[in-house]
């Protein structure tokens, strides 16, 4: 069974989002997502300073199997990326909710946080087989 | 239609296999880590359940002349040996319906092993051509095919097989040259494979196959899934039907000219005339290996830019042995050492090399992607 921490929010694209005290959003892939992807071999992270709308493709995660797009969970500007993933994409598999984070976003509209899935909603999504 | 199961499905589940649907079959993608399975085959030994491959027994006094008409390679090359021949089955335009191995078991008995995804079109083609020959075609179902591959396959693997198959299995197998085979008490074992490593493939009944799978696992031969099978064959520079070739290209378009037997000239195999016309063409593409020089990932379908015009990546992915991304590509002929592949709109430099990339555990192209001279 996949781990779903209760202090995070989620998207239906199997990403997790954590809101920092500063209001920025840290984004990563869920345990379920990394399990589905298999061995990860390359992560194409966004540039710091790049802006995205909610739902834009902002990163690509490649496993031995296939490439998988990562979508921005909210509109905003990228303020940090996890550069450790350049040499160690397996951090996502080993620690999806910690060292395997992808990027940090300064959201344009703080209200978009409310649109994200709560942990129990994400669990329902997984149970429904999506 | 529900996916078909091989006789080993429960055993895959029992050892952690992640089953997925592939070509209408439920098959293991991996058993935890595709990359670990890949390394197991390059460094020790692994076993693949390839029971989804389609088996057809061809028998009768017309068996040999039938296959000499049907296949682009010439089973006459096998002589009196029990052995396998890698070949394409072509349509009248010389394009590839499937790639397959034809095993000669006896003068009037052959086994054809073809891909699962193409089973219907292959069977239809085989049946149609068979009308003109005194042959019987019998599809073989509910059987097990295992591929045991790796530098220790012929020691650990064949020793474990001897405990199940008895007799002098290991020593008899060791005496066979590559592509030769032996048949005994219902099984066929051949020195063939799809990984670039030493090893064997074995065809047996379901119950013996289940016992052999278990014996191999107990001997610590690693169970390996479709994922590792794909990265291993890519490193070995071996074509995959449906990716590197299909019924829109000929063997001359995918580096398989060596499998087409144009001699003797009077052998009128299917697709011969189309290939003869093509052979004079100067526009035939080359089939090359690519090594990505920077970070990123080659994938099938990406556009290749060369000094002589565009080409296409037919297979691409990650090479666990090289720690780099590699691919096979159909590109214009010409002498050029580099090309660019368009990855998400950006041109990335690749070295152009001659496959295979890896064979018998050894990297044959250097880390910068330049061919060894």
């Amino acid at each position: 069974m996949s781990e779903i921490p209760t202090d995070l929010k989620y998207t239906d694209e199997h990403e997790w989002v954590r809101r920092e005290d500063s209001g920025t959003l840290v984004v990563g892939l869920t345990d379920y997502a990394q399990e589905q992807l298999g061995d990860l071999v390359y992560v194409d992270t966004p540039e710091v300073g790049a802006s995205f709308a909610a739902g834009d493709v902002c990163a690509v995660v490649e496993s031995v199997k296939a490439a998988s797009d990562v979508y921005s969970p909210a509109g905003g500007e990228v303020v940090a990326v996890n550069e450790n993933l350049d040499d160690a994409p397996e951090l996502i598999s080993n620690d999806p909710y910690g060292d395997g984070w992808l990027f940090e976003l300064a959201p344009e509209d703080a209200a978009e946080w409310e649109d994200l899935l709560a942990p129990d909603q994400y669990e329902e999504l997984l149970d429904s087989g999506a | 239609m529900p996916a078909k199961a091989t006789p080993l499905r429960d055993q895959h589940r029992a050892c952690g296999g992640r089953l997925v649907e592939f070509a209408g079959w439920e098959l293991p993608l991996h058993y935890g880590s595709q990359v670990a399975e890949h390394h197991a085959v390059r460094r020790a030994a692994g076993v693949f359940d390839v029971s989804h491959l389609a088996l057809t027994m061809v028998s009768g006094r017309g068996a040999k002349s039938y296959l000499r008409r049907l296949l682009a390679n010439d089973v006459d090359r096998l002589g009196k040996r029990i052995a396998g021949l890698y070949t394409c089955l072509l349509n009248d335009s010389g394009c590839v319906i499937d790639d397959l191995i034809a095993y000669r078991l006896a003068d009037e008995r052959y086994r054809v092993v073809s891909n699962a995804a193409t089973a219907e079109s292959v069977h239809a083609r085989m049946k149609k051509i068979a009308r003109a020959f005194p042959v019987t075609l019998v599809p073989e179902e509910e059987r097990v095919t295992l591929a045991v591959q790796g530098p220790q396959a012929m020691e650990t693997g064949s020793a474990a097989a001897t405990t199940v198959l008895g007799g002098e299995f290991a020593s008899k197998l060791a005496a066979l040259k590559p592509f030769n085979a032996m048949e005994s008490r219902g099984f066929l074992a051949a020195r063939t494979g799809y990984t670039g490593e030493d090893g064997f493939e074995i065809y047996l009944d379901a119950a013996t196959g289940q016992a052999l799978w278990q014996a191999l696992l107990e001997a610590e031969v690693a169970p390996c899934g479709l994922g590792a099978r794909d990265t291993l064959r890519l490193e070995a520079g071996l074509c995959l039907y449906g990716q590197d070739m299909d019924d829109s290209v000929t063997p001359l378009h995918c580096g398989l000219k060596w499998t087409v037997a144009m001699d003797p000239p009077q052998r009128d195999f299917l697709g011969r005339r189309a290939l003869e016309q093509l052979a004079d063409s100067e526009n035939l593409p080359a089939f090359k290996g690519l090594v990505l020089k920077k970070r990123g990932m080659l994938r099938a379908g990406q556009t290749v830019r060369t000094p002589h015009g565009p080409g296409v990546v037919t297979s691409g992915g990650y090479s666990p042995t090289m720690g780099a991304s590699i691919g096979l590509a159909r590109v214009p002929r010409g002498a050029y050492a580099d090309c660019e592949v368009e990855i998400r709109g950006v041109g990335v430099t690749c070295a152009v090399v001659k496959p295979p990339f890896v064979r018998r555990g050894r990297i044959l192209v250097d880390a910068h992607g330049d061919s060894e001279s």
Side-chain angles (χ1 to χ4, degrees):
Chain A
M1 190 60 213
S2 303
E3 190 194 343
I4 306 176
T6 53
D7 57 339
L8 303 174
K9 286 213 167 192
Y10 297 88
T11 74
D12 52 13
E13 298 291 347
H14 306 286
E15 290 154 27
W16 57 261
V17 186
R18 183 177 71 229
R19 184 159 64 174
E20 304 289 67
D21 294 341
S22 63
T24 61
L25 305 178
V26 178
V27 182
L29 297 178
T30 66
D31 190 26
Y32 173 83
Q34 68 79 17
E35 263 175 29
Q36 295 293 313
L37 287 166
D39 294 304
L40 293 174
V41 288
Y42 173 65
V43 184
D44 193 359
T45 45
E47 300 284 324
V48 170
S51 288
F52 297 100
D56 282 358
V57 174
C58 59
V60 178
V61 176
E62 303 250 12
S63 73
V64 263
K65 257 194 303 186
S68 184
D69 289 335
V70 177
Y71 303 90
S72 191
E77 186 184 321
V78 175
V79 294
V81 300
N82 184 355
E83 283 166 6
N84 293 330
L85 296 177
D86 286 357
D87 295 320
E90 66 274 12
L91 287 173
I92 295 175
S93 316
N94 299 341
D95 189 9
Y97 297 111
D99 291 343
W101 66 282
L102 286 172
F103 60 92
E104 190 172 347
L105 195 71
E108 254 163 38
D109 178 1
E112 279 185 337
W113 169 257
E114 304 304 329
D115 299 335
L116 298 170
L117 302 175
D120 56 334
Q121 289 172 307
Y122 182 61
E123 197 176 339
E124 270 172 41
L125 181 81
L126 293 190
D127 289 344
S128 70
Chain B
M1 204 170 65
K4 288 184 266 189
T6 81
L8 297 173
R9 182 178 55 186
D10 292 345
Q11 282 160 286
H12 294 315
R13 287 204 175 119
C15 63
R18 187 178 141 75
L19 299 180
V20 295
E21 194 175 327
F22 173 83
W25 289 79
E26 204 179 347
L27 292 166
L29 182 63
H30 60 73
Y31 301 81
S33 168
Q34 174 177 336
V35 171
E37 290 159 26
H38 181 108
H39 290 316
V41 172
R42 287 274 178 254
R43 296 167 185 167
V47 56
F48 302 82
D49 175 13
V50 288
S51 309
H52 59 294
L53 295 176
L55 311 183
T56 309
M57 195 57 91
V58 178
S59 53
R61 62 192 169 81
K64 183 176 172 184
S65 40
Y66 165 67
L67 292 173
R68 294 191 77 201
R69 164 80 176 140
L70 186 75
L71 303 172
N73 208 341
D74 188 355
V75 294
D76 192 47
R77 288 179 172 182
L78 297 173
K80 287 288 183 187
R81 289 179 293 146
I82 299 177
L85 181 80
Y86 177 69
T87 176
C88 291
L89 170 63
L90 306 180
N91 63 22
D92 297 333
S93 329
C95 292
V96 186
I97 295 175
D98 201 3
D99 65 331
L100 56 88
I101 293 185
Y103 288 99
R104 179 189 174 278
L105 307 177
D107 280 341
E108 301 189 351
R109 212 158 52 87
Y110 291 78
R111 176 179 283 149
V112 169
V113 182
S114 57
N115 284 300
T118 49
E120 277 178 34
S121 56
V122 169
H123 189 66
R125 183 74 163 166
M126 286 182 73
K127 235 169 105 177
K128 186 178 166 200
I129 305 303
R131 284 184 209 142
F133 293 87
V135 289
T136 314
L137 305 184
V138 180
E140 300 173 276
E141 313 260 352
E142 283 301 305
R143 294 186 56 89
V144 166
T145 304
L146 298 180
V148 184
Q149 304 277 296
Q152 288 165 22
M154 294 299 292
E155 293 158 32
T156 322
S158 72
T162 305
T163 64
V164 176
L165 303 170
E168 295 158 345
F169 177 82
S171 54
K172 284 183 181 165
L173 187 73
L176 297 177
K177 289 182 180 151
F179 273 91
N180 281 3
M182 61 187 194
E183 200 187 20
S184 160
R185 285 170 301 165
F187 72 81
L188 172 73
R191 293 292 303 279
T192 49
Y194 192 48
T195 61
E197 294 300 324
D198 201 0
F200 59 100
E201 290 176 304
I202 185 161
Y203 304 83
L204 8 72
D205 67 81
T208 315
Q210 289 165 341
L212 177 56
W213 174 268
Q214 220 50 41
L216 289 165
L217 261 50
E218 278 159 27
E220 296 190 351
V221 174
C224 298
L226 291 173
R229 189 169 160 81
D230 190 42
T231 50
L232 287 159
R233 71 92 197 167
L234 179 58
E235 284 186 346
L238 299 169
C239 290
L240 173 62
Y241 192 83
Q243 264 188 238
D244 303 298
M245 76 287 214
D246 56 28
D247 62 6
S248 70
V249 295
T250 76
L252 312 184
H253 291 80
C254 50
L256 293 179
K257 190 179 177 185
W258 64 275
T259 71
V260 180
M262 297 305 278
D263 285 319
Q266 64 273 22
R267 186 177 71 97
D268 183 24
F269 64 86
L270 300 174
R272 175 173 193 123
R273 250 159 284 169
L275 293 190
E276 278 171 347
Q277 283 166 9
L278 256 183
D280 303 328
S281 160
E282 286 173 7
N283 294 326
L284 272 179
F287 193 69
K288 297 283 192 180
L290 304 181
V291 180
L292 191 61
K293 289 191 166 186
K294 296 201 175 114
R295 290 162 37 75
M297 200 60 63
L298 296 174
R299 297 289 186 193
Q302 289 167 344
T303 300
V304 184
R305 290 196 289 250
T306 81
H308 300 279
V312 64
V313 176
T314 54
S315 278
Y318 179 71
S319 158
T321 306
M322 294 169 64
S325 184
I326 58 172
L328 297 172
R330 200 158 9 257
V331 290
R333 288 188 181 277
Y336 47 90
D338 288 311
C339 67
E340 272 197 347
V341 172
E342 206 170 292
I343 302 178
R344 289 188 279 281
V346 181
V348 186
T349 306
C350 289
V352 180
V353 301
K354 188 179 183 309
F357 304 90
V358 181
R359 216 182 119 72
R360 299 282 154 104
R362 226 165 62 87
I363 298 172
L364 303 178
V365 291
D366 84 13
H368 303 291
D370 301 315
S371 286
E372 269 179 20
S373 50

